[in-house]
Amino acid sequence: MSWRSPARDAQTVTASMVFGPVIQIRDVVGNVTVVADRPPYQIGDVTPGAVLLPVGAARRQPSRLLLARHQVVPFTGRDVELDALSTWMGGAEPVSVRLVHAAGGQGKTRLARHVAARAHAAGWLTWRVLHTPEQQSAGSRWEASGGGGALVVVDYADRWPASDLNRLVTDLNAVSLRTGLVLRVLLLARSAGFWWAALRDRLDSEHAVTAEAHFLPPLDEHIDRRVLFDQARERFSAALDVPDTAGITVPELTGSGFRQILAVHMAALVAVDAHHHNQTPPAQPHALSAYLLNRERAHWHHLHARTEDRRPTSPEVMGRAVYLATLTGPVTRDDATTILTRARVTEPGVATIIDDHRFCYPPDDPGTVLHGLRPDRLGEDLIALSTPGHPHTGADDWQPDDWAATAAHTLLTGGTPATWAPGAVTVLVETAHRWPHVADTVLYPLIREHPELALAAGGATITRLAELPHPDIAALEAVEALLPTDRHVDLDTAAAAISTTLTHHRLRATADPAEQVGLLATHAHRLANAGRRDEALAPAEEVAVICRRLADSDPAYLPPLAMSMNNLGLFLSELGRHDEALAAAEEASGIYRRLARESPTAYLPPLAMSLINLGRFLAELGRRDGAVTVAEEASGIYRRLARESPTAYLPPLAMSLNNLGIFLSELGRSDEALTPVEEAVAVRRELVEANPAAFLPGLAAALNNLGLVLAELGRRDGALTAAEEAVAIRRKLVEANPAAFLPDLAAALNNLGRFLAELGRRDKALTAAEEAFGIYRRLAEANPTAYLPGLAAALSNLGNHLSGSGYRDEALAAAEEAVGIYRRLAEANPTAYLPGLAAALSNLGNHLSGSGYRDEALAAAEEAVGIYRRLAEANPTAHLPHLATSLWAHASASVNVKANLPQALETVSEAIDIYQPLVKQLPQMFGSQLVLAYRTLADVLEALGRKDEADVLRQQLKEISGGTRE
């Protein structure tokens, strides 16, 4: 099309915040395609006051009085929580996230509304966010406030995909950065499981947004239940216009069924309504729900029976529609038609049923229908009490409907699974946690027959399924059969939850040691894949104990023993217990080597795998020459095996090549390292095309190492490209499983920051370094043995970036902390950590000199030179370049303090002597460093009074550089 908009028709948006697409097009000639990426959410106002419910409406449907938006019962208690939230609201952070989680009916929504009302009174904007996964939202626009900030309330946060929650906070963060608006995001959820850990870590790492969780305890820990009941009774009496309720007998409220605020409020509401109808109120929690449901049914009957504006839908059909709406809704009208038709709820007509249901239960979003029964607890009780199989079938109870016994199965298996199917499974799982018969008669048969429905519902729902009080082993096994055997970024946490339940069950059922070994080994790997490494160690150790006992009496069990020691070494290494890991790997490779001599076809593959691990553990302990030898042997074996069976052996070949490249690089043999690393990247790209979920982590690792090698060769642009791709992949992996992949992301960010700085992009380099440091700080607090080395490296890098951006005091603090950590590490393992200590000391010297502490700078530089000199004597290829840098830094510090000048002349001359042959080999890498050393030489000569020589040298440098100073 061709369309032209005159300038006078242009629109301008001022003093507003827009969520969603803002597209302005002018002066367009030719064909134009505009794609609007609508956000998966919709923002609306939180009404600060109560939404009044007329007495007539309340009497017709008394359960509506329980909804938080009506605020019938005044907010009570929660002083501790309110104080904590008030402190949070008043914090200094521009954007902050707080999760409040508790079981349904605990008062999360009431608390959020009360906090929102207080915020509104203080001049804040108050918003609520609805999830719109189909991206039906056209976005939202709000006028900017003159002061205060904005409180954003997100209910059912645990049912949002983590990526959509992250998108919301990303957009809010952008608004804060653009407008200066303070934002507080209050998430409400029933649980704080793996989804919360993933979101919290991602918010911190990507946006530096703080996020904390708060469990909301039962209110009766702070207030008497009878007092709660009396307060609610008084307010419900007024709302229903029922006098003389003060003498109502208070039911027995001491049972566990009344621990939640909602249960006590339901008891009070039922007592008042029963008093109004001259009935005896029920006392048991299930009976309270049945009473309120029967009052709903009476309303449906009235609508159906009246002569004026009669609703054609019968009470029986309306009950089924409400059941389906609670299970699946809200949905579009087209989806509602499909739902009712599949479930065989069609008389007196699908459109009529939808309209009548909408009349009874108006939806929050006018674009949807089939709004479920609320509050959630009552809706879940409707599903449970409608389903045959429970014992509560007295005359006054809500009677089961035979249709409900098969309704969910018919609905969810009646055709291609729709967008609402995962939500329906989630509701069934949540209902089953309080109603065992729903699990036994509806949920478990459904999952046994169609486990793919659980998979579609996602990892959080599968985890809740595995945590049911009386799990169905066959159902869990059906789901387990669909889970990938290899690592999968989206399903690792769910697989660990399933494995936890099934392994405990299976171990109780067998006394066979061989079977126990298989079960425990699989469970250990599932836990490790989910990032639960501490938990994985115990079953791995148990496997090793069983296998050793078996092998002592029967050599046939030597292969399982070798495998168990190989796996144990991996888990020990991941926990930072490197000496123990090496001992396990040496035992494993020794056994496999003996076995491979007798049967190479069977045991060369496991020998090669054990060598990969052995090489890695040797390198972790600083024994890099031995690591190279082992890695070369492993890659040679895998290359031969991959020729015969590429599908099976290309993945481990890529791993072995990657490791070989790392070890060669750490020995300073970067030109040799490039070939195996590039080959590893190529192989892993090929593998990712076939199975990205399994091989993306490996590709990220190979790209990270490729960046390091390219940087060592002076190819900085290529290094940056590889690092950026590695970080992008690892961000996606962290989104699905932060526990497993956060350490990898931190390492990649460290490298990215370094490469950005080398290309002069200091601001972005500092951002990456700060994010890496933040991740390592959290990891080291939880597991110092494993992550203190990473934290030390991150601190040292952060100091360099801070200094380069002008933050000298902060740079000095980071460098001093890095040196302190490296000293402790080097005391325990000098072979592994002396290089890191020397680098940190060299950086510290630079920062001390820049901050005016010149004597201290000289001392740090001298210590760094001493360490590097010893290291270079043992391995000149790896450490001579670092020795040259430390010598130059020492000379520079000497000039600054005007001391040790003759020694400075010797050290800078030695640095130049080292750099000159290095420049011939890698001019792009070492050329600039040689120039800097010559400039320091000129400074030293001038400080010694040899100004003429210094001037000649500076003129020569100027001519070489073309008249510009680098």
Side-chain angles (χ1 to χ4, degrees):
M1 74 176 181
S2 177
W3 178 74
R4 183 182 179 87
S5 172
R8 64 176 178 272
D9 292 337
Q11 296 183 351
T12 302
V13 178
T14 59
S16 296
M17 286 164 286
V18 180
F19 298 88
V22 178
I23 303 171
Q24 295 182 343
I25 303 176
R26 298 183 48 194
D27 304 326
V28 176
V29 177
N31 295 327
V32 176
T33 299
V34 178
V35 178
D37 179 19
R38 295 179 173 180
Y41 58 81
Q42 195 167 25
I43 294 181
D45 279 322
V46 175
T47 307
V51 179
L52 296 179
L53 187 65
V55 172
R59 287 183 171 183
R60 288 191 295 272
Q61 293 175 283
S63 65
R64 294 173 66 179
L65 294 173
L66 297 169
L67 301 181
R69 66 173 176 265
H70 297 304
Q71 300 181 33
V72 175
V73 181
F75 187 82
T76 303
R78 301 297 188 195
D79 292 338
V80 173
E81 288 79 9
L82 288 173
D83 287 345
L85 288 169
S86 178
T87 301
W88 169 65
M89 295 278 289
E93 303 90 347
V95 180
S96 183
V97 176
R98 173 68 63 95
L99 168 68
V100 173
H101 63 99
Q106 206 75 288
K108 300 182 295 293
T109 304
R110 287 170 55 82
L111 175 66
R113 291 188 67 88
H114 187 72
V115 172
R118 288 170 51 165
H120 186 272
W124 283 52
L125 296 169
T126 50
W127 300 333
R128 66 183 178 91
V129 183
L130 298 176
H131 188 224
T132 53
E134 296 306 302
Q135 294 195 346
Q136 299 160 351
S137 168
S140 309
R141 172 182 167 186
W142 301 98
E143 298 302 316
S145 63
L151 173 66
V152 185
V153 180
V154 184
D155 208 348
Y156 303 104
D158 49 348
R159 298 187 186 182
W160 283 50
S163 58
D164 289 352
L165 272 177
N166 184 69
R167 166 72 183 275
L168 170 65
V169 179
T170 299
D171 292 347
L172 292 170
N173 194 45
V175 166
S176 178
L177 290 172
R178 188 169 63 249
T179 66
L181 184 70
V182 173
L183 285 161
R184 296 292 178 263
V185 185
L186 181 59
L187 307 179
L188 308 179
R190 288 192 177 188
S191 66
F194 291 115
W195 74 272
W196 168 245
L199 178 68
R200 179 196 60 214
D201 292 335
R202 185 172 179 183
L203 294 180
D204 182 61
S205 62
E206 291 190 11
H207 310 298
V209 170
T210 59
E212 297 180 357
H214 177 79
F215 171 70
L216 195 63
L219 189 58
D220 66 357
E221 293 183 4
H222 308 285
I223 188 170
D224 185 82
R225 296 182 191 182
R226 183 186 180 109
V227 173
L228 275 178
F229 178 91
D230 286 339
Q231 290 175 340
R233 173 197 51 75
E234 181 180 346
R235 298 308 292 260
F236 289 137
S237 297
L240 291 168
D241 193 19
V242 177
D244 303 325
T245 61
I248 288 178
T249 302
V250 179
E252 178 59 52
L253 300 172
T254 57
S256 60
F258 292 100
R259 292 198 70 201
Q260 294 153 346
I261 299 172
L262 180 60
V264 177
H265 284 184
M266 287 173 66
L269 175 61
V270 169
V272 172
D273 191 77
H275 177 77
H276 175 62
H277 291 92
N278 296 315
Q279 297 177 6
T280 300
Q284 297 302 313
H286 81 275
L288 298 173
S289 293
Y291 179 95
L292 292 173
L293 292 174
N294 278 315
R295 295 291 286 116
E296 295 289 318
R297 182 187 291 274
H299 177 55
W300 307 335
H301 186 274
H302 168 74
L303 294 177
H304 181 63
R306 67 187 181 182
T307 56
E308 184 179 347
D309 193 22
R310 174 180 176 272
R311 293 290 162 176
T313 303
S314 68
E316 179 185 41
V317 172
M318 182 61 74
R320 293 175 178 178
V322 174
Y323 176 105
L324 294 171
T326 302
L327 194 63
T328 67
V331 294
T332 65
R333 183 172 283 270
D334 286 343
D335 278 345
T337 300
T338 301
I339 289 166
L340 293 169
T341 301
R342 281 191 186 181
R344 304 186 185 117
V345 181
T346 57
E347 295 295 335
V350 170
T352 299
I353 297 170
I354 294 172
D355 290 339
D356 289 352
H357 182 277
R358 185 186 178 95
F359 181 84
C360 286
Y361 303 97
D364 293 332
D365 181 354
T368 61
V369 295
L370 292 189
H371 187 75
L373 185 63
R374 295 292 182 265
D376 289 341
R377 180 188 179 96
L378 186 62
E380 292 166 5
D381 287 350
L382 165 68
I383 291 173
L385 292 170
S386 298
T387 303
H390 62 81
H392 310 300
T393 56
D396 295 329
D397 284 315
W398 179 266
Q399 296 304 307
D401 184 349
D402 289 341
W403 165 88
T406 58
H409 186 279
T410 302
L411 173 67
L412 296 171
T413 62
T416 303
T419 55
W420 36 261
V425 174
T426 298
V427 171
L428 284 175
V429 171
E430 291 300 326
T431 304
H433 269 270
R434 288 192 299 113
W435 292 93
H437 79 289
V438 172
D440 295 336
T441 65
V442 179
L443 178 64
Y444 288 148
L446 180 67
I447 299 303
R448 286 196 297 266
E449 185 177 343
H450 295 281
E452 69 277 3
L453 290 172
L455 223 62
T461 296
I462 293 175
T463 300
R464 291 286 285 165
L465 175 69
E467 293 170 349
L468 280 166
H470 302 288
D472 183 280
I473 299 304
L476 295 183
E477 287 177 335
V479 175
E480 181 191 45
L482 297 183
L483 295 171
T485 55
D486 295 323
R487 201 169 193 176
H488 191 289
V489 295
D490 295 322
L491 295 172
D492 281 341
T493 54
I498 290 277
S499 177
T500 298
T501 300
L502 289 181
T503 301
H504 291 164
H505 167 78
R506 290 164 175 168
L507 286 173
R508 289 193 300 268
T510 180
D512 181 2
E515 190 174 350
Q516 291 172 346
V517 162
L519 293 171
L520 289 165
T522 299
H523 185 45
H525 279 290
R526 289 294 199 191
L527 290 169
N529 288 346
R532 295 158 66 175
R533 297 179 179 91
D534 288 334
E535 298 172 61
L537 183 59
E541 289 176 328
E542 191 172 351
V543 167
V545 169
I546 296 173
C547 288
R548 192 177 300 284
R549 187 174 66 246
L550 294 171
D552 286 344
S553 58
D554 186 350
Y557 287 100
L558 279 173
L561 174 60
M563 181 180 295
S564 71
M565 298 307 296
N566 196 52
N567 294 336
L568 180 60
L570 288 171
F571 298 138
L572 288 165
S573 173
E574 288 172 349
L575 292 172
R577 296 162 62 173
H578 301 302
D579 288 319
E580 297 169 79
L582 178 61
E586 286 176 332
E587 181 177 358
S589 60
I591 295 172
Y592 278 131
R593 197 178 293 284
R594 295 195 300 272
L595 293 170
R597 293 193 195 103
E598 301 173 2
S599 180
T601 302
Y603 293 111
L604 272 178
L607 170 60
M609 179 54 68
S610 70
L611 290 170
I612 283 182
N613 295 334
L614 178 59
R616 172 184 157 190
F617 304 154
L618 285 166
E620 287 173 343
L621 290 168
R623 296 163 59 178
R624 295 181 178 85
D625 286 315
V628 166
T629 301
V630 169
E632 287 175 334
E633 183 181 0
S635 59
I637 295 172
Y638 276 128
R639 194 178 296 284
R640 296 194 300 273
L641 294 170
R643 292 193 193 103
E644 301 174 1
S645 180
T647 302
Y649 295 114
L650 275 178
L653 172 61
M655 184 188 303
S656 65
L657 289 166
N658 195 54
N659 290 351
L660 177 58
I662 294 171
F663 305 151
L664 287 167
S665 174
E666 290 174 344
L667 286 171
R669 297 158 62 180
S670 302
D671 50 345
E672 299 175 63
L674 183 60
T675 299
V677 170
E678 286 182 327
E679 186 179 356
V681 170
V683 172
R684 281 178 163 157
R685 286 198 191 282
E686 181 182 339
L687 294 169
V688 165
E689 289 181 5
N691 189 345
F695 296 114
L696 267 176
L699 175 59
L703 286 164
N704 190 59
N705 296 326
L706 176 61
L708 289 170
V709 173
L710 289 170
E712 289 165 357
L713 294 171
R715 295 163 58 176
R716 295 186 177 92
D717 289 325
L720 178 61
T721 300
E724 288 176 331
E725 186 177 358
V727 167
I729 293 173
R730 283 177 169 168
R731 285 200 193 282
K732 293 178 183 177
L733 297 172
V734 165
E735 179 181 336
N737 191 341
F741 296 111
L742 261 179
D744 298 333
L745 175 60
L749 285 164
N750 244 343
N751 295 336
L752 176 62
R754 170 186 156 191
F755 305 152
L756 286 165
E758 289 174 350
L759 290 170
R761 296 159 66 176
R762 297 189 183 279
D763 288 342
K764 290 187 176 180
L766 179 58
T767 299
E770 288 177 328
E771 184 178 354
F773 159 71
I775 295 172
Y776 272 126
R777 174 75 78 193
R778 292 198 311 275
L779 292 171
E781 287 173 356
N783 188 344
T785 303
Y787 297 114
L788 271 178
L791 175 60
L795 280 164
S796 193
N797 290 337
L798 178 60
N800 291 336
H801 298 309
L802 286 166
S803 178
S805 297
Y807 302 105
R808 292 184 176 177
D809 290 341
E810 294 88 342
L812 182 57
E816 287 175 333
E817 185 178 357
V819 168
I821 295 173
Y822 272 126
R823 283 199 193 283
R824 296 195 300 273
L825 293 171
E827 286 174 5
N829 189 344
T831 304
Y833 296 114
L834 272 177
L837 174 59
L841 283 164
S842 187
N843 292 336
L844 176 60
N846 292 334
H847 303 322
L848 286 166
S849 179
S851 296
Y853 301 103
R854 293 176 176 173
D855 291 336
E856 294 89 340
L858 185 59
E862 287 176 344
E863 185 178 359
V865 168
I867 295 173
Y868 273 131
R869 198 176 292 285
R870 295 196 302 273
L871 292 171
E873 289 172 359
N875 188 343
T877 304
H879 296 296
L880 270 178
H882 302 301
L883 173 59
T885 301
S886 67
L887 289 164
W888 161 76
H890 176 270
S892 180
S894 298
V895 171
N896 288 335
V897 300
K898 295 182 172 56
N900 298 325
L901 293 176
Q903 184 182 357
L905 181 61
E906 294 179 7
T907 55
V908 74
S909 299
E910 184 181 356
I912 290 170
D913 290 341
I914 296 172
Y915 276 135
Q916 283 176 336
L918 292 174
V919 168
K920 292 179 181 179
Q921 300 172 21
L922 293 170
Q924 190 175 359
M925 181 69 182
F926 295 108
S928 60
Q929 293 171 308
L930 178 59
V931 170
L932 290 173
Y934 270 120
R935 285 179 181 150
T936 298
L937 174 59
D939 294 339
V940 173
L941 289 169
E942 183 172 352
L944 287 169
R946 298 160 61 177
K947 188 173 185 306
D948 291 342
E949 296 175 66
D951 289 342
V952 170
L953 179 55
R954 287 177 179 137
Q955 181 60 36
Q956 292 174 340
L957 291 171
K958 183 177 180 180
E959 293 172 358
I960 293 172
S961 61
T964 61
R965 186 174 181 85
E966 295 181 7

